[in-house]
Structure formats: structure tokens, C-alpha cells
Amino acid sequence: MPKTERTKEPKELKGLEALTAPLTASEIEWKVQVNKNGKTMIAPYIDSRAVMSRFDRAFGPLGWQNQLKEVSLGDGEVAWLCGIGVRTESGEWVWKWDGAGASDLEPVKGGISGAMKRAATQWGVGRELYNYPRVFVTGEHKYVPFEVLKRLEGLPAAIAAGRRLPEVITLAPDGSDVRKAA
């Protein structure tokens, strides 16, 4: 009788282990930080929808919640505090808070989103983004070139694997490496 081979299913992560698992390429977006001297600096970030998806996977849609508080900074300026609460096995809620000011593009929405992402970082979501190399693209760009985005898709896996990476990566708009002249 032939032996049936069982393949191991990937372990589904739950709780804090799911929150702190390295981000995947599909969770990370890239934005232009600054254009200067013929170069564009880009930075990775996670949006609030990815944060919500992480918490849903980790604790289920009813196992976490967030609260927002508007804080007056005076002179008509406001900031936002966001708390993310997680229900423990005993039913107790544990909260972590962080905040952000209004953003330039969409002040209220951007401030709320920024506060939520910062609160998620308090829980461990996306902390590895602080370990990413600085990335530059030659030329001054309003948007990150598509070929550069494709090239950067492997970066999250390299970071998660602990691969040693340069502190600075410079790419051409076609995604190829730019080498410094000797």
C-alpha cells in the first residue's frame, strides 16, 4: 500500500506573533520623501488599511478596537491621539497610544491615519521599517517609478531574513543599480 505523504501547512500566526511578523511586500508602499540635487529619496511605509488587516488577522475583527482623541495644540492647530486596544484571553482590554499632527495633504484624515500607524508601531507592527536602507532614485520624480517598485519587492524578505544590506541604495528609474564611478 502506498504511503501518503502529509505536507505541513504553514503555521497561521495569531496574536502578538502575527502583529510583529515582518511586513510583506504587499503591505509596504513607497513614497517620495524629497527631490534634491538630481535625486529623489523614497521611503517605505504601511497604510492604515494594512494595520487594520494585521489586527484582524491577529485577534479577529472583534478582538481589537481603536479610539481617537483630538488634541488642541493652540492657534487652531490640532493633533490626533489613537489608542489601539486588544482584548486579552481574560477579557481585559490592553491599550497602547500614540499620536500625530495634521498632515499637509489631507489634514484630518492624514493626522488620524498617522496616529493609528504610530499606535500600531507601539504594538510592534512595522518596526522593521526603521531598519530599511535609505533609497534614492536618480533624477527628480513626483512618483516612484514602477520599475523601482518592482525592484524593491524583494527588500522585505531580505530584511526579514536578516540579510546584511547597504545603508544606502541608489537606483536608476529603470530599477537598475547605480554604481559610483571609482
Side-chain angles (χ1 to χ4, degrees), residues 70-92:
E70 184 178 330
V71 178
S72 174
L73 301 176
D75 294 331
E77 289 191 49
V78 297
W80 296 92
L81 292 176
C82 178
I84 298 179
V86 171
R87 188 183 356 228
T88 65
E89 290 179 8
S90 66
E92 177 188 2

Side-chain angles (χ1 to χ4, degrees), residues 136-168:
F136 292 92
V137 180
T138 57
E140 295 185 14
H141 303 275
K142 188 174 182 179
Y143 303 102
V144 181
F146 178 73
E147 294 301 323
V148 170
L149 293 174
K150 285 187 60 96
R151 173 71 187 277
L152 294 171
E153 285 178 351
L155 203 51
I159 296 282
R163 271 193 38 216
R164 187 179 165 118
L165 298 169
E167 288 182 30
V168 176

